[in-house]
Amino acid sequence: MKHWNEECAVVGVYGVENASWLTYYSLFAMQHRGQEASGMSVFDGEKIHTHKAQGLVSEVFDENSLQTLKGNIAIGHNRYATAGKQSSSDAQPLYARCSLGEIAVVHNGNLTNAKALREKLTSEGSIFQSFLDTEVILHLIAKSQKESFEECIKECLKIIKGAYCLIFVLKDKMIVARDCYGLRPLSLAKISTESGEGYIVASESCSFDLLGAEYIRDIGAGEMLVFENGKMTSMQIFTPRDFKCVFEYIYFARPDSQVFGKNVYAIRKEMGRELARECKISADVVIPVPDSGVPSALGYALESNIPFEMGIIRNHYVGRTFIESEQSIRELKVKLKLNPIKEIIEGKRVVVIDDSVVRGTTSRQIVKILRNAGAKEVHLLISSPPTISPCYYGVDTPNRQELICSTHSLEEVRAYVGADSLYFLSLEGLARSVGGGGYCQACFDGRYIKDCFGESEE
Ligand code: SF4
């Protein structure tokens, strides 16, 4: 694993015919947030129907399956496996039938008290069918004595801790909830089709563009939305406390998305400009490590007046299921993915820009590839600060001992990757690029919040 890995995309479509097709295209647009499994639940006016399986969106759904998912409320999910193990029972949405009726839910995030809640529920007689945190939510709702689904969900939200963007379908209603820190992104848009107007809620706004939906706003931290009888009602369940994941801007989100109200591409470009202001290098060419390094490299080139070139080409068709256990195979994988253009690199002093360094193995390979292509000098610049701490908030990260910047000095990391120089964007530069505070940057500074998230350290 080179990067921090995102763990899910969620989408909910309310109030338009063919909601399943719109959900399907949204999941397509957000495939980058999870490739292990995909699924959808649709309310057809009488019942909730669910289709889910392991695999990419294009593998899980076909015309036949979508034809059977008719209705005007649908929720969908792309899964990256973090909490739980990889099996089809761990694909989402999760469905249950309880005393108030049918319910299905999708969840992006990670509950930090799920283990304790699961143990308690099991000791009280609950039977679990998956390893997912999300199943705990369904059990809490089913056990609630409240008289409406809204009240049951509110009660459940007061018990669970951690990061969540939740979308429920409950017969003819859709309910959306976001944790009090707004850690993971969730946006709202209006959609118009021939059959009328409705709403769409999704992890990233790139899915709105595809459907011609009009972005309205982000769902607020601690906010709950109820879609019912063609209307949307908002209620604030918790006092909002800003702690949004800054890594969305660095790597997770697509550059064409609005995340936390800001365009990801513009922020990445600004990170490159900040990097150029902080670290001046005499070089002949600036090249990105594609794809996520491209906007930052462009920003660096513009600010430094050094020519920008696509000196490395990425092969987008390399599968994710490659066996990575042997070092030699891992090296081959990097070469399969990234190929240099010798004519751009040979004899040049190269500034190469990447978004982050995790174990250092990929950076080392990239430097080697550039040297083999004839680079005279290779200066590796990273458009984020050194990653020194794991994420406790639902993002799949290596443990601290595996993070090279946690266990080695900057000079040791430079020597390991084999670059002539190595520089990381400062924490202050990162804050300036994203336009101020209110972000979690715990993987860079080790400062976690205890009260909401439980199992963390300060
Ligand atoms: S520690 Fe914070 S900034 Fe880093 S990946 Fe996790 S939530 Fe995002």
Side-chain angles (χ1 to χ4, degrees), residues 131-185:
F131 295 96
L132 294 174
D133 290 5
T134 320
E135 199 176 351
V136 169
I137 293 170
L138 285 183
H139 279 280
L140 290 172
I141 291 169
K143 278 178 76 92
S144 172
Q145 299 298 310
K146 302 283 182 189
E147 286 178 2
S148 72
F149 266 130
E150 281 106 300
E151 292 305 315
C152 295
I153 290 171
K154 273 193 221 165
E155 189 175 73
C156 163
L157 298 181
K158 287 179 181 154
I159 299 170
I160 59 174
K161 285 183 175 177
Y164 53 82
C165 288
L166 293 165
I167 310 179
F168 300 89
V169 57
L170 325 123
K171 285 195 161 183
D172 52 355
K173 276 186 211 178
M174 184 170 89
I175 295 183
V176 177
R178 194 162 175 223
D179 68 75
C180 64
Y181 289 101
L183 201 87
R184 307 255 78 86

Side-chain angles (χ1 to χ4, degrees), residues 100 108 128 158 220 387:
L100 289 173
N108 178 17
F128 282 82
K158 287 179 181 154
T387 43

Side-chain angles (χ1 to χ4, degrees), residues 51-70:
H51 179 84
K52 59 182 181 178
Q54 284 184 275
L56 299 170
V57 178
S58 59
E59 296 162 343
V60 171
F61 298 101
D62 58 20
E63 206 163 342
N64 286 341
S65 57
L66 288 165
Q67 291 299 352
T68 62
L69 294 166
K70 287 199 188 305

Side-chain angles (χ1 to χ4, degrees), residues 4-5 163 183-184 243-248 250 252 387 389-397 439-448 453:
W4 269 201
N5 279 305
L183 201 87
R184 307 255 78 86
F243 199 61
K244 303 168 295 242
C245 172
V246 81
F247 227 93
E248 291 285 347
I250 293 163
F252 298 148
T387 43
S389 291
C391 177
Y392 293 100
Y393 307 142
V395 172
D396 185 24
T397 57
Y439 291 93
C440 172
Q441 49 185 33
C443 45
F444 304 123
D445 65 10
R447 293 174 59 176
Y448 301 91
F453 294 108

